[in-house]
Amino acid sequence: MSTAEPTTPIVPVDYDEAIARFDPVLGIEVHVELGTDTKMFDGAPNVFAAEPNAAVTPTSLGLPGALPVVNRTAVEHAIKIGLALNCQIAESCRFARKQYFYPDLAKNFQTSQYDEPIAFDGWVDVELEDGEVVRVEIERAHMEEDAGKNTHVGGSTGRIHGATHSQVDYNRAGVPLVEIVTKPIPDTGGRAPEVAAAYVRTLRDIFRALEVSEARMEQGNVRADVNVSLRPTRQDPLGTRTETKNVNSFRSIDRAVRFEISRQAGVLDAGQEVVQETRHFHEDTGGTSSGRPKSDAEDYRYFPEPDLVPVAPSREWVEQLRASLPELPAARRRRLLGEWGFSDLEMRDVINAGALDQIEASVAAGASAQSARKWWMGELARTAREQDVELTQLAVTPGQIAELQGLVDEGKINDKIAKQVLVKVLEGQGDPAAIVEQEGLAVVSDDSVLTSAVDQAIADNPDVVAKIQGGKVKAIGALIGPIMKATRGQADAGKVREIIMDKLGVS
Ligand code: MN
């Protein structure tokens, strides 16, 4: 089912103008696939990209008589997520059937949680790129199962309209999910798009730190549904919201929120009402389009799942899990800031560049924090941009960076040569020390070699020599240039300078 767009074409309002006249309120639902060995309610393997319908059991397929059993590890992961988000953990909670008719779940219902989520009433602090912190309140985190995947064949769009037939792959059906729902996020002003993206990034980092999910956005491990509404001022009641479904990258989340704010402002300006509906985000245009009218909860006819007993985690178990929580990203950043002595700005740049792990690992391998920062935020960040990859995807390890910097610190190579060595490391030619050795790149500080290079330069440049001896000591650079060239940039520049001064009798 799809609803037609309003007949009067809506002209989106320029974003800055829209937020000057309207107050946006966000609500975000995040689904995270848990990295368990098996599915939420059966023993089928939880795997990505197996042959279609290879990772299924009678329960995944919803065959009559097949009964579900709760996956203890999935419950543990859900509790950890709840604790990391400062939630209360339910003393007892139940699963519920959320009923809808669609072939991606063969049972015709999704086993989810409704009025009794496992975790509720939490919060998480979200740091924006400029260091401002926004506290997002969490309504609930509940357990549920993922649905299978439909593929519509024969049409041009990949959607069901115009398709000749559809295929269903139940490998993903029954994969454990935790859905995290925020309370309305008010007071974001013009920063709503950034807050939405930063919130999902914060959750992604927490999932990874907890090791409950690989949390790879591009694999759909983390999927965000973004609710946006506008109201004239902060004092007004909440406006009608739309829910843009399955926005799967941080950039897309930012763009989808931005677009909805502009579009809804246009709807309101035209004297129309915002329709409560789900919307689809389009990567190519950055726009959203009308999906289906949003179902109210009663349409799903939720009722308690009769095939599963309530989950009642003991307080001891919850406390054990609380004690086992790893250091969370925000605390880790604060600790590293202190240990490394970076400025707040340097630290933010490092975080925004995704260089924190690499720098930490380089420091662990022996580099100083500042030198590690210099490499990862300088040459390597530039190379990553050129190759359009993440820092972690570059063909260099933090250990190699520590080794490279060690060679500089020992005076074996200078900064310029170090950059050349790094290029060779990135080309897969080996470790820095081995490359310096094989290619003979070590700094030349051998007096006899340098002295003869200096003699040659003096002989070749009598005019420069005259200037230097006439008191223009700065002209010495004009001699150092050809010497560096003659030694392929490997001469110890300080030493060369000393020899020249000595030879020309200046000081
Ligand atoms: Mn859900």
Side-chain angles (χ1 to χ4, degrees):
M1 190 181 1
S2 81
T3 49
E5 293 283 354
T7 41
T8 316
I10 294 301
V11 183
V13 173
D14 171 72
Y15 176 77
D16 290 325
E17 197 196 316
I19 53 149
R21 289 193 288 115
F22 294 99
D23 184 45
V25 177
L26 295 168
I28 304 171
E29 293 156 36
V30 167
H31 287 87
V32 55
E33 282 181 350
L34 303 179
T36 51
D37 293 338
T38 55
K39 291 186 180 178
M40 187 74 218
F41 302 113
D42 68 275
N46 173 8
V47 287
F48 182 75
E51 277 287 289
N53 297 306
V56 294
T57 63
T59 305
S60 310
L61 293 173
L63 298 185
L67 289 171
V69 177
V70 176
N71 181 332
R72 180 187 168 94
T73 306
V75 175
E76 219 165 70
H77 286 357
I79 293 173
K80 284 184 181 176
I81 290 170
L83 292 172
L85 298 177
N86 304 291
C87 289
Q88 310 286 317
I89 304 302
E91 294 193 6
S92 176
C93 63
R94 278 189 303 185
F95 287 96
R97 293 187 177 185
K98 179 182 182 179
Q99 308 192 71
Y100 65 94
F101 181 77
Y102 202 61
D104 60 358
L105 270 174
K107 299 178 296 185
N108 287 336
F109 61 84
Q110 178 189 32
T111 307
S112 181
Q113 294 192 299
Y114 180 47
D115 51 351
E116 297 185 31
I118 188 152
F120 51 93
D121 281 349
W123 54 266
V124 64
D125 281 337
V126 174
E127 189 173 334
L128 306 184
E129 286 205 0
D130 67 355
E132 188 188 329
V133 174
V134 176
R135 177 158 294 186
V136 172
E137 293 191 84
I138 307 294
E139 171 91 28
R140 56 190 278 148
H142 68 252
M143 298 181 282
E144 60 184 27
E145 61 184 335
D146 210 344
K149 195 171 159 223
N150 294 344
T151 307
H152 306 297
V153 187
S156 56
T157 60
R159 300 177 68 166
I160 196 165
H161 300 283
T164 55
H165 60 288
S166 297
Q167 298 170 324
V168 195
D169 174 6
Y170 287 111
N171 283 349
R172 206 177 58 185
V175 165
L177 296 179
V178 169
E179 177 175 345
I180 296 143
V181 182
T182 66
K183 293 182 178 162
I185 309 169
D187 299 336
T188 48
R191 311 193 74 176
E194 196 189 339
V195 170
Y199 166 73
V200 179
R201 185 191 294 273
T202 301
L203 290 195
R204 193 272 313 257
D205 291 347
I206 289 174
F207 301 146
R208 287 190 177 169
L210 293 174
E211 296 182 349
V212 297
S213 173
E214 284 184 35
R216 288 168 63 170
M217 304 288 288
E218 71 281 5
Q219 281 196 4
N221 296 150
V222 179
R223 309 194 286 269
D225 303 337
V226 190
N227 293 267
V228 177
S229 66
L230 297 185
R231 54 184 174 178
T233 71
R234 289 177 188 192
Q235 285 69 48
D236 290 301
L238 296 180
T240 304
R241 66 192 162 88
T242 60
E243 178 180 356
T244 304
K245 303 288 281 180
N246 288 327
V247 198
N248 293 336
S249 73
F250 304 126
R251 181 159 173 268
S252 298
I253 291 166
D254 186 299
R255 292 170 80 205
V257 172
R258 191 169 290 269
F259 180 84
E260 269 304 285
I261 289 172
S262 291
R263 187 191 68 84
Q264 290 185 19
V267 170
L268 296 171
D269 274 0
Q272 297 179 16
E273 286 182 5
V274 172
V275 178
Q276 182 171 336
E277 63 185 353
T278 63
R279 296 186 68 86
H280 303 291
F281 176 71
H282 304 282
E283 291 287 344
D284 47 350
T285 62
T288 64
S289 64
S290 188
R292 59 180 158 84
K294 176 66 183 170
S295 307
D296 285 319
E298 51 262 39
D299 295 338
Y300 290 120
R301 294 186 299 123
Y302 278 98
F303 73 85
E305 166 60 61
D307 288 339
L308 289 167
V309 293
V311 173
S314 72
R315 294 302 94 178
E316 292 75 30
W317 189 27
V318 172
E319 290 316 310
Q320 265 171 28
L321 292 173
R322 192 192 302 279
S324 78
L325 291 184
E327 182 182 41
L328 293 175
R332 174 174 168 233
R333 287 200 294 267
R334 277 194 300 279
R335 174 177 59 79
L336 292 176
L337 182 67
E339 286 176 14
W340 293 349
F342 290 178
S343 71
D344 285 343
L345 182 64
E346 284 173 341
M347 194 64 171
R348 269 204 302 281
D349 286 346
V350 163
I351 291 163
N352 294 336
L356 200 71
D357 289 347
Q358 305 306 102
I359 292 176
E360 189 179 29
S362 303
V363 170
S368 71
Q370 281 296 357
S371 69
R373 189 183 69 81
K374 181 195 70 185
W375 285 113
W376 288 105
M377 297 300 290
E379 290 297 296
L380 292 167
R382 194 176 52 70
T383 307
R385 270 196 305 277
E386 279 169 12
Q387 299 182 5
D388 196 21
V389 296
E390 302 289 321
L391 289 174
T392 49
Q393 293 171 286
L394 290 173
V396 60
T397 63
Q400 287 172 322
I401 291 304
E403 182 179 320
L404 183 65
Q405 183 60 38
L407 294 169
V408 175
D409 294 343
E410 289 165 26
K412 283 223 173 88
I413 56 175
N414 57 31
D415 284 335
K416 191 165 163 244
I417 299 290
K419 286 179 187 171
Q420 294 171 19
V421 172
L422 180 58
V423 170
K424 292 174 192 289
V425 173
L426 289 165
E427 285 169 354
Q429 295 189 29
D431 289 330
I435 290 170
V436 168
E437 181 74 22
Q438 281 158 24
E439 313 248 333
L441 291 171
V443 163
V444 177
S445 52
D446 180 325
D447 280 359
S448 61
V449 174
L450 294 183
T451 303
S452 72
V454 169
D455 285 342
Q456 188 64 50
I458 288 174
D460 291 348
N461 299 279
D463 45 338
V464 178
V465 169
K467 276 188 199 165
I468 297 169
Q469 285 175 328
K472 278 196 162 181
V473 180
K474 269 190 187 164
I476 211 163
L479 290 185
I480 294 178
I483 294 166
M484 291 308 258
K485 204 168 175 188
T487 56
R488 295 190 303 154
Q490 289 167 244
D492 180 333
K495 206 150 192 181
V496 168
R497 193 182 170 85
E498 255 173 49
I499 297 171
I500 296 172
M501 307 268 271
D502 197 44
K503 293 239 173 206
L504 300 183
V506 292
S507 58

Coordinates of all heavy atoms in Angstrom, one line a residue, residues 49-56 149 151 167-171:
A49 N 25.2 -13.6 4.7 CA 25.6 -14.0 3.4 C 25.9 -15.5 3.2 O 26.8 -15.8 2.4 CB 26.7 -13.2 2.8
A50 N 25.1 -16.3 3.8 CA 25.2 -17.8 3.4 C 24.3 -18.0 2.2 O 23.6 -17.0 1.8 CB 24.7 -18.6 4.6
E51 N 24.4 -19.1 1.6 CA 23.4 -19.5 0.5 C 22.0 -19.2 1.0 O 21.7 -19.5 2.1 CB 23.5 -21.0 0.2 CG 24.6 -21.4 -0.7 CD 24.3 -20.9 -2.1 OE1 23.4 -21.6 -2.7 OE2 25.0 -20.0 -2.6
P52 N 21.1 -18.7 0.1 CA 19.8 -18.4 0.6 C 19.1 -19.7 1.2 O 19.3 -20.8 0.7 CB 19.0 -18.0 -0.7 CG 20.1 -17.5 -1.6 CD 21.4 -18.3 -1.3
N53 N 18.5 -19.4 2.3 CA 17.7 -20.5 3.1 C 18.6 -21.7 3.5 O 18.1 -22.8 3.6 CB 16.5 -20.9 2.2 CG 15.5 -19.8 2.0 OD1 15.1 -19.2 3.0 ND2 15.2 -19.4 0.8
A54 N 19.9 -21.4 3.7 CA 20.8 -22.5 4.2 C 20.8 -22.4 5.7 O 21.0 -23.4 6.4 CB 22.2 -22.3 3.7
A55 N 20.6 -21.2 6.3 CA 20.8 -21.0 7.7 C 19.4 -20.9 8.4 O 18.9 -19.9 8.9 CB 21.6 -19.7 8.1
V56 N 18.6 -22.0 8.2 CA 17.3 -22.1 8.7 C 17.0 -23.4 9.5 O 17.6 -24.4 9.2 CB 16.2 -21.9 7.6 CG1 16.3 -20.5 7.0 CG2 16.4 -23.0 6.6
K149 N 14.5 -11.8 4.0 CA 14.7 -10.8 3.0 C 14.0 -11.1 1.7 O 14.1 -12.3 1.2 CB 16.2 -10.7 2.7 CG 16.6 -9.5 1.9 CD 18.2 -9.4 1.9 CE 18.5 -8.5 0.7 NZ 19.7 -9.0 0.0
T151 N 13.3 -10.6 -2.3 CA 13.9 -10.1 -3.5 C 12.9 -10.1 -4.6 O 12.3 -11.1 -4.9 CB 15.1 -10.9 -4.0 OG1 16.0 -11.0 -2.8 CG2 15.9 -10.3 -5.1
Q167 N 11.3 -13.6 -4.4 CA 12.0 -14.7 -3.7 C 12.1 -14.3 -2.3 O 12.3 -13.1 -1.9 CB 13.3 -14.9 -4.4 CG 13.2 -15.3 -5.8 CD 14.6 -15.3 -6.5 OE1 15.4 -14.5 -6.2 NE2 14.7 -16.2 -7.4
V168 N 12.1 -15.3 -1.4 CA 12.3 -15.0 0.0 C 13.5 -15.8 0.6 O 13.6 -17.0 0.3 CB 11.0 -15.4 0.8 CG1 11.1 -14.8 2.2 CG2 9.8 -15.0 0.1
D169 N 14.3 -15.1 1.3 CA 15.5 -15.8 1.9 C 15.3 -15.6 3.4 O 15.3 -14.5 4.0 CB 16.8 -15.1 1.5 CG 18.0 -15.6 2.2 OD1 17.9 -16.6 3.0 OD2 19.1 -15.0 2.0
Y170 N 15.1 -16.8 4.1 CA 14.9 -16.7 5.6 C 16.1 -16.8 6.4 O 16.1 -17.0 7.6 CB 13.9 -17.8 6.0 CG 12.5 -17.5 5.5 CD1 11.9 -18.3 4.5 CD2 11.8 -16.5 6.1 CE1 10.6 -18.0 4.1 CE2 10.5 -16.2 5.6 CZ 9.9 -16.9 4.6 OH 8.6 -16.6 4.2
N171 N 17.3 -16.7 5.8 CA 18.5 -16.7 6.6 C 18.5 -15.7 7.8 O 19.0 -16.0 8.9 CB 19.8 -16.5 5.8 CG 20.1 -17.7 5.0 OD1 19.6 -18.8 5.2 ND2 21.1 -17.5 4.0

